[in-house]
Amino acid sequence: MPPATDCPTDNLKFMGCKDTKIFPTHVAPNSSFIIFSYLWQSISNIAVLMKQPITANQRKLIASLQQARHRRANGLFVLEGTRSVLDSAHCFAIEMLVATAAWLDEYSDRIPENIGRILSARPDEMKQMSSMVTPQGVIAVCRIPEISQDFDLDANELIIALDRIQDPGNMGTIMRVADWFGINRIIASPDTVDLYNPKVIQATMGAIARVQVAYLPLPETLRRLAATGMEIYGTFLGGEPLYTSELTTGGVIVMGNEGNGICPETAATITRRLTILPFPVDHPTVESLNVGVATAITVAEFRRRLMIS
């Protein structure tokens, strides 16, 4: 066993302390100080990991949040999986963190500070609450934040509007695209898939923490924005070719339903109709693009114009 040294940080390393940066440089080595500091950090770590076993009612509540009506009724949603919890949970008010003992042991030093309660659960209990085929051992139950339904847009701001998008994977992909290209806000029709659907959250890959989604009556909202002089773009067959059309820096890009496109009432508000042409133009191709792919191509072209202007 190596002997203790005169260096406080060496002594802490010897005693198993991970963080040796707690000593001010002007403090002389002192065994009492070392012991006090080590005990203080140990107590702090223990306090973070103080947890209670999850109850049957809590398990039922978390499992029920798979459904939109229970999310709305309780004002709660779940972040699931190590990446989602560690990367995104700090952006929300966390009511409780549920994890296996193994997960807590591995990630105790990375647990977000804004946690109401820490609950422990067995792997079989995690499976009962999880939407994942292979649960990763952690679920954060978060409060649904209030997002203003009334906002003003800068003339140079680019946003996305979604008309009746139904597939959770597409919704999550579009949010991920928005995050990548610096779009902070999305408007969605009330019948678009719920933002807090677990499959949507998984597909966003963390974008849910940075991209706001407001569910609003789409035609009414688009008419109001068009009245301010903002261009309302929509993707259609037979519109202006995207790559050769004049595009503004700001505006609204409307993306339509997977099977039916943009509905007639929303289409009536569109001021510019755009088309993503295949290449070559006369080459036989698939009938249409996936809405997530079409969104990425359209937004990328808007940003490319901004970069070269």
Side-chain angles (χ1 to χ4, degrees), residues 207-267:
I208 189 173
R210 292 173 293 274
V211 179
Q212 291 189 350
V213 180
Y215 288 84
L216 298 168
L218 206 52
E220 176 186 330
T221 303
L222 295 177
R223 281 192 292 268
R224 178 170 63 84
L225 294 174
T228 68
M230 182 168 279
E231 291 280 20
I232 311 297
Y233 296 92
T235 52
F236 296 87
L237 294 175
E240 306 171 46
L242 171 66
Y243 298 120
T244 57
S245 297
E246 184 177 341
L247 304 176
T248 55
T249 300
V252 183
I253 301 172
V254 182
M255 305 304 298
N257 173 269
E258 292 89 343
N260 301 306
I262 298 172
C263 72
E265 190 178 2
T266 299

Side-chain angles (χ1 to χ4, degrees), residues 61 93 98 119 141 224 227 251 299:
L61 169 64
V98 184
L119 303 175
V141 180
R224 178 170 63 84
V299 172

Side-chain angles (χ1 to χ4, degrees), residues 85-142:
V85 170
L86 297 182
D87 291 353
S88 304
H90 67 279
C91 297
F92 302 98
I94 305 175
E95 293 290 308
M96 64 183 88
L97 181 84
V98 184
T100 61
W103 191 94
L104 289 171
D105 287 343
E106 184 171 354
Y107 297 100
S108 61
D109 58 339
R110 297 181 60 190
I111 293 175
E113 297 179 356
N114 56 324
I115 295 177
R117 287 171 290 175
I118 297 179
L119 303 175
S120 63
R122 302 187 307 272
D124 62 299
E125 292 176 316
M126 296 297 296
K127 194 165 187 177
Q128 294 171 14
M129 299 177 284
S130 175
S131 63
M132 303 176 74
V133 176
T134 306
Q136 295 182 19
V138 63
I139 293 174
V141 180
C142 306

Side-chain angles (χ1 to χ4, degrees), residues 145-160:
E146 291 186 12
I147 297 177
S148 174
Q149 304 297 298
D150 184 24
F151 54 85
D152 295 321
L153 296 178
D154 182 273
N156 292 320
E157 183 175 357
L158 188 65
I159 67 172
I160 297 170

Side-chain angles (χ1 to χ4, degrees), residues 132-191:
M132 303 176 74
V133 176
T134 306
Q136 295 182 19
V138 63
I139 293 174
V141 180
C142 306
R143 189 149 296 282
I144 294 175
E146 291 186 12
I147 297 177
S148 174
Q149 304 297 298
D150 184 24
F151 54 85
D152 295 321
L153 296 178
D154 182 273
N156 292 320
E157 183 175 357
L158 188 65
I159 67 172
I160 297 170
L162 304 179
D163 183 22
R164 301 168 300 134
I165 299 301
Q166 298 299 301
D167 183 77
N170 287 336
M171 178 72 171
T173 297
I174 291 170
M175 291 182 66
R176 191 173 174 183
V177 167
D179 189 33
W180 183 262
F181 286 106
I183 295 176
N184 302 316
R185 292 192 277 191
I186 292 176
I187 302 171
S189 62
D191 47 0

